Amino acid sequence: MNAIISASELASELAGDNPPVLLDVRWQLSVARAAGEPPFDGRAEYAAGHLPGAVFVDLDRELAGAPGTGGRHPLPDLAVFGAAMRRAGVSANRPVIVYDGGQGWAAARAWWLLRWTGHPNVRVLDGGLPAWQGPLETAVPTPAEGDFRPVPGGAGLLDADGAATLARSGVLFDARAGERYRGEVEPIDPVGGHIPGAVSAPTSENVAADGRFLPAAELRARFTALGASDGTDVGVYCGSGVSAAHEVLALAVAGIPAALYVGSWSQWSSDPQRPVAVGPDPQ
């Protein structure tokens, strides 16, 4: 099963006998903003217009735990996550489509969590809301309670030690912008640089100008050139485990399974005992 779905394919499925559950996960990374500029409000964006029948899911509260030793977006409490999914109507025998405002990071985080906790049929709307040509609605739906019970372990998960090992034994991709990988700038975390041995692979280079993923063959060629050959174990990290989920999704489109280091750089860089590499060289 493909990990993504086009807007036209989604429109056809919504008109079918078993329409998918729609999750709206609009979110943006919170960084320092100019004085007086309000923070991004995904719920307000949802209220202004969303795909018919879609339910809003809060990434910071329902797809992640509280910031702390596990990083800025650690794994959520499974009881909280499961309750949010059931509230949205998610059931094990019904497909799920996730979308966001177009960047794809937040949708990919929900996609990864549902896969990791055992949902068999979840995809991301390629290009997000901007790709949708159909009508929007402002009414908030009240779907029937779903039956999904999250059981962790359905997809690859790395901790800090696992990421360090994979950077030596396989391929560990750093999905952040190249200047953050090199340690030239670090707007959020306490230290700039990257995990020693990690390979720079910005997830922004996996999509075209319209935010849709590059063709699978192009993605596979890109990742193969970066070291993800057949039989190689692959992992991904970013700043806090959100944009890295987008790269795991891109790898899935390319037919390459990959694990996610959820704590990512926000966890790694907060531990003074962890080594840090800077510059373009992985080491």
Side-chain angles (χ1 to χ4, degrees):
M1 184 187 72
N2 202 346
I4 58 176
I5 185 172
S6 69
S8 60
E9 291 169 332
L10 175 56
S12 295
E13 291 199 13
L14 288 172
D17 295 333
N18 186 31
V21 173
L22 293 178
L23 304 181
D24 183 312
V25 197
R26 274 179 273 183
W27 171 89
Q28 286 183 10
L29 179 66
S30 295
V31 296
R33 296 177 178 273
E37 181 183 350
F40 179 82
D41 187 341
R43 193 176 295 276
E45 295 287 325
Y46 167 83
H50 51 266
L51 268 64
V55 175
F56 180 74
V57 176
D58 190 315
L59 185 147
D60 289 316
R61 293 175 174 82
E62 296 171 324
L63 303 182
T69 57
R72 282 195 309 280
H73 289 105
L75 290 173
D77 181 284
L78 288 183
V80 172
F81 173 65
M85 294 299 99
R86 291 189 296 276
R87 171 186 59 82
V90 174
S91 293
N93 64 350
R94 190 175 173 192
V96 177
I97 306 298
V98 191
Y99 72 91
D100 58 23
Q103 188 178 43
W105 295 5
R109 172 71 175 220
W111 167 84
W112 183 86
L113 275 170
L114 281 164
R115 288 177 67 249
W116 179 65
T117 55
H119 198 284
N121 189 345
V122 54
R123 289 163 290 170
V124 169
L125 174 59
D126 195 17
L129 186 63
W132 178 252
Q133 299 299 311
L136 300 178
E137 69 177 22
T138 57
V140 177
T142 53
E145 182 87 358
D147 64 13
F148 180 67
R149 301 286 173 179
V151 178
L157 174 66
L158 294 171
D159 60 11
D161 289 339
T165 298
L166 187 59
R168 304 297 183 187
S169 64
V171 176
L172 181 65
F173 289 135
D174 185 318
R176 299 172 300 160
E179 57 268 25
R180 291 185 69 190
Y181 169 88
R182 295 187 295 272
E184 297 166 358
V185 298
E186 182 44 66
I188 307 172
D189 293 311
V191 178
H194 59 269
I195 296 174
V199 176
S200 180
T203 200
S204 59
E205 296 178 18
N206 295 321
V207 296
D210 61 3
R212 302 183 197 189
F213 281 106
L214 299 175
E218 291 185 29
L219 289 172
R220 188 170 184 86
R222 181 196 184 209
F223 291 125
T224 299
L226 290 171
S229 57
D230 289 339
T232 301
D233 290 333
V234 178
V236 189
Y237 75 96
C238 59
S240 67
V242 178
S243 66
H246 188 259
E247 184 130 297
V248 172
L249 176 57
L251 283 154
V253 172
I256 301 171
L260 175 66
Y261 172 26
V262 172
S264 285
W265 190 248
S266 61
Q267 181 187 42
W268 183 279
S269 63
S270 67
D271 183 350
Q273 302 303 312
R274 296 284 178 185
V276 172
V278 295
D281 191 307
Q283 307 305 324

